[in-house]
Amino acid sequence: MWENNSRYNIVYAADDGFTEVMGVSILSLFENNQSAEDIRLTILDSGITKINKDKIETICKKYRRPLPIWVVATDIEEHLEMSVKADRGSIAQYARIFLTDIFSPSVKRVLYLDCDTLIVKSINELWNLDLEGNTIAALKDAFSKYYRKNVDLAPDDVMFNSGVMLIDLEKWRNNKIEAKLADFIRQKKGKVQQGDQGVLNAVLSKDTLIISPKYNFATVFTDLSYDEMILYRKPVGFYSKQEIDKAQQDIHIIHFTSHFFSLRPWQEGCTNKYLDTWLNYRKLSPWKDGKLATVNNSFKKQQLINAYQRNPKLVLFLASIFQIYLRPLKNRIK
């Protein structure tokens, strides 16, 4: 049984372009966990400039927290001596699978947070979850059964979102998780659906405690109704509408994920339900006077967004065919 405490080891990973987003997340973490005994940040650094590092450290000083431990992120291609494809985002995201050598054996668990999360309540409840013998705890992700086949999972196996992961670092080390992750990437010749998240699912699907959506409340829960989300994603063994509705009444972590017609709070034109919440934390940050990012959507994507606004039911149905069937097929062929 895990010993209940409020000393937290938190891990982020970012490149310079996402430092502002990470900074707002860190600020929200500190703001809503002021009673915590200790919060130790470890940041996997994929080229963050000194200017932006100084801004992050300013936030730590403001809340009288220790400065982050900056760790040069592992380059997955150098580590494996092979080419690795980024199915989504940047291959820098693979850095988060290398944790063993970063922490001393005395560190028994860590909480990994994506930069695009906003921590709006204490993390004490999440941090002290009983993992029930599992290596990690994470949110079920809304993927159809066809995605599972691409990462060698059975049709009803768990697929999780890796944006919030509570990790038993002792089990991670003892079970040689990093070696298994590396072996899977090699097996797939560096081409894995969903990149690092796909690799993590392939190795840890049966070693994951499923958490409430309140600890990772994703954009897909707010931009679409429950029925629309099920139509669009056709997820396997997913949360019930009642579970999501209950979670929304007690959200601890908001996760600004993306989908085909959604912008995010740091981008001009975002309409997310929690946009103002994110902007209010940004106003407390060193980036408060900066402009929001301008999104240069491709003509094709803009046409899709316009079509969705005119006829959401039809476009959502057509998008669901791509999301459920064609995208995993495309990944399989590639």
Side-chain angles (χ1 to χ4, degrees):
M1 180 68 69
W2 174 251
E3 180 183 348
N4 192 292
N5 68 72
S6 63
R7 294 178 178 174
Y8 313 130
N9 282 291
I10 311 297
V11 180
Y12 285 91
D15 58 19
D16 198 55
F18 236 55
T19 312
E20 174 187 341
V21 180
M22 177 177 68
V24 174
S25 179
I26 291 170
L27 190 147
S28 71
L29 169 70
F30 289 161
E31 180 69 24
N32 293 300
N33 288 272
Q34 296 192 45
S35 63
E37 296 173 66
D38 193 10
I39 303 177
R40 298 298 172 108
L41 294 181
T42 298
I43 298 176
L44 309 180
D45 169 16
S46 292
I48 300 173
T49 61
K50 185 179 185 304
I51 291 174
N52 276 328
K53 285 183 179 179
D54 288 346
K55 289 179 178 179
I56 296 293
E57 293 186 353
T58 296
I59 296 170
C60 295
K61 292 172 184 175
K62 175 182 177 179
Y63 287 91
R64 298 182 180 178
R65 296 296 184 182
L67 299 183
I69 298 170
W70 298 96
V71 177
V72 176
T74 299
D75 185 310
I76 186 67
E77 294 187 317
E78 287 184 9
H79 182 81
L80 298 182
E81 297 181 340
M82 63 182 291
S83 175
V84 176
K85 182 180 180 296
D87 180 47
R88 61 190 185 95
S90 164
I91 63 169
Q93 293 173 320
Y94 274 97
R96 61 179 164 177
I97 72 176
F98 298 105
L99 299 172
T100 301
D101 296 332
I102 293 174
F103 298 96
S104 71
S106 63
V107 177
K108 305 299 184 186
R109 67 169 52 182
V110 298
L111 178 63
Y112 170 82
L113 297 172
D114 267 358
C115 297
D116 54 359
T117 56
L118 201 62
I119 296 81
V120 294
K121 286 190 178 177
S122 167
I123 60 169
N124 192 61
E125 188 178 292
L126 171 60
W127 176 262
N128 287 297
L129 281 180
D130 182 354
L131 288 174
E132 300 176 11
N134 294 287
T135 297
I136 71 168
L139 176 85
K140 287 181 191 175
D141 214 337
F143 285 112
S144 73
K145 65 181 181 180
Y146 302 101
Y147 286 86
R148 287 158 168 77
K149 184 175 181 180
N150 289 353
V151 289
D152 299 350
L153 295 177
D156 58 349
D157 279 345
V158 166
M159 286 194 78
F160 58 84
N161 180 283
S162 57
V164 175
M165 292 188 294
L166 181 64
I167 302 171
D168 183 328
L169 208 49
E170 207 164 24
K171 288 183 70 68
W172 183 279
R173 296 184 187 106
N174 293 340
N175 294 337
K176 303 186 186 312
I177 297 300
E178 287 172 25
K180 293 175 182 177
L181 296 169
D183 286 345
F184 187 81
I185 297 169
R186 292 190 185 98
Q187 176 192 330
K188 295 295 183 181
K189 297 180 170 53
K191 298 177 182 179
V192 183
Q193 173 188 273
Q194 295 297 111
D196 59 307
Q197 179 168 290
V199 177
L200 287 161
N201 270 274
V203 172
L204 292 167
S205 173
K206 295 179 176 64
D207 199 10
T208 300
L209 175 75
I210 298 303
I211 60 175
S212 164
K214 70 181 179 180
Y215 299 124
N216 187 352
F217 206 79
T219 297
V220 73
F221 298 143
T222 55
D223 279 14
L224 300 173
S225 71
Y226 184 81
D227 289 342
E228 287 172 336
M229 185 267 295
I230 295 298
L231 169 66
Y232 175 47
R233 292 292 191 95
K234 204 173 183 180
V236 177
F238 203 57
Y239 301 98
S240 68
K241 182 179 186 300
Q242 290 72 26
E243 287 175 307
I244 293 174
D245 288 346
K246 182 180 179 182
Q248 193 163 18
Q249 303 308 309
D250 185 29
I251 296 174
H252 290 220
I253 299 175
I254 302 168
H255 190 182
F256 295 103
T257 52
S258 60
H259 54 86
F260 76 95
F261 67 85
S262 176
L263 296 176
R264 297 153 104 180
W266 50 94
Q267 299 170 325
E268 288 184 351
C270 174
T271 58
N272 188 283
K273 178 177 182 177
Y274 300 107
L275 168 64
D276 288 344
T277 305
W278 190 88
L279 291 175
N280 286 337
Y281 284 105
R282 184 180 189 260
K283 289 174 185 175
L284 301 174
S285 81
W287 293 273
K288 62 183 179 181
D289 297 323
K291 293 183 178 180
L292 297 176
T294 301
V295 180
N296 295 316
N297 285 327
S298 67
F299 177 76
K300 186 183 293 186
K301 182 169 182 179
Q302 191 58 54
Q303 290 293 97
L304 181 62
I305 293 172
N306 292 340
Y308 177 78
Q309 291 170 345
R310 291 193 302 269
N311 195 334
K313 288 185 178 179
L314 175 61
V315 174
L316 192 65
F317 172 72
L318 294 174
S320 73
I321 295 173
F322 176 79
Q323 176 67 30
I324 296 167
Y325 306 104
L326 299 183
R327 187 163 181 258
L329 177 61
K330 177 183 173 184
N331 282 322
R332 198 170 310 141
I333 293 171
K334 283 187 175 182

